[in-house]
Amino acid sequence: MAANLARLLECNIRCNNAAAVQSGWRLFSNQRQQQTEVEDDEEFRVLNLRTIKQQARRREIKKNAVQPPRTSRMPVDQDWTAVWSGPRSFHPASVPLPLRQGYTERGAAAPSKYANAELMKIPNFLHLTPPAIRQQCEAIKKFCTPWPKGLETEAKWKRPFPIEVITTDYCHSLPTIRHPEARRVTITLKLSDLKFDAHAKDKFLRLVGERYNQETGVLTFSADRCPMRKQNYDYAMYLLTACYHESFVTEPWEATKSEADMEVYQFERNQAKRSAEGILNWNATGEQKDAPSANYAKSVEALINEGENEYNIAKYKEEVLKMLKIAI
């Protein structure tokens, strides 16, 4: 029994010693490998401050030759409408003119047309040259009607078309294309082109007020309160039509006007007519009575309405002498 226990202990000791030796070799091998890696990392490295790069072959860039400006190649007899056919910004290489614009110091020349922002700011009319206008007129001529016969001169067409409409178009550089002053419409015509009687003419002149110029005899209506030009034209024509038709209307109170209410002096409705009839029919026995002449009535009206001047006084004197049959 004791011998078996001793033999078992010896086997255990022998197995333990073999396992310890094997683990020792494994630890030793791992430590040696780590020591080898550390030795490899601690090797002296060479610091190279001058790096050598492989020089690549440069690519040759071919530049096209710069062409001269178009203005130097333009013929004198070219078709300008093909060069500048419509409205566009200024381009110095397309305009064969030595244009200059811009502010400079005193004595210095204005900047040339190249790289000139001032020339590109303003609108130009290079597309509205006489040849271009002539070409456009020829193109739209087929849509026009011939001028009416018998209206060749201004005196001939003024009679059937007495009204003259005046409008203004503006060319400007604003965010909106509609200029605020372009809506204004002015209508002019002569008062002699309208047909009135004595009552209608007097009432019409009082309705229009300052729109009538007595020196030229021209009647003017202006309208600008509407936003569109067509609306202002219709409103001006409405004013003219309304004033004309209203002047022929006789109100009931107009028949009760006395001599003091009259706007102008009228010979037929005043005491001067009765006084002149009394002088002409002094001691007249017949039923037929003499009346003052029409020239005498006009001279009296002119003397009172227009005021006393040399001509009116001389005319009145002449008519009085004729009425009294007094020879000088």
Side-chain angles (χ1 to χ4, degrees), residues 244-260:
Y244 179 77
H245 289 286
E246 185 65 24
S247 62
F248 287 93
V249 178
T250 303
E251 301 294 340
W253 55 266
E254 295 184 19
T256 62
K257 293 172 63 177
S258 62
E259 181 179 349

Side-chain angles (χ1 to χ4, degrees), residues 294-309:
N295 293 333
Y296 174 78
K298 291 181 181 180
S299 64
V300 174
E301 291 179 353
L303 182 64
I304 297 178
N305 293 330
E306 300 177 5
E308 296 182 0
N309 53 49

Side-chain angles (χ1 to χ4, degrees), residues 14-46:
R14 198 179 292 113
C15 293
N16 292 335
N17 290 335
V21 170
Q22 187 176 1
S23 62
W25 279 104
R26 188 178 297 134
L27 292 173
F28 178 77
S29 61
N30 292 336
Q31 292 177 357
R32 189 169 184 176
Q33 184 179 2
Q34 292 178 358
Q35 185 178 1
T36 304
E37 291 178 356
V38 171
E39 291 178 358
D40 293 340
D41 293 339
E42 291 180 356
E43 291 181 1
F44 181 76
R45 297 181 182 180
V46 179

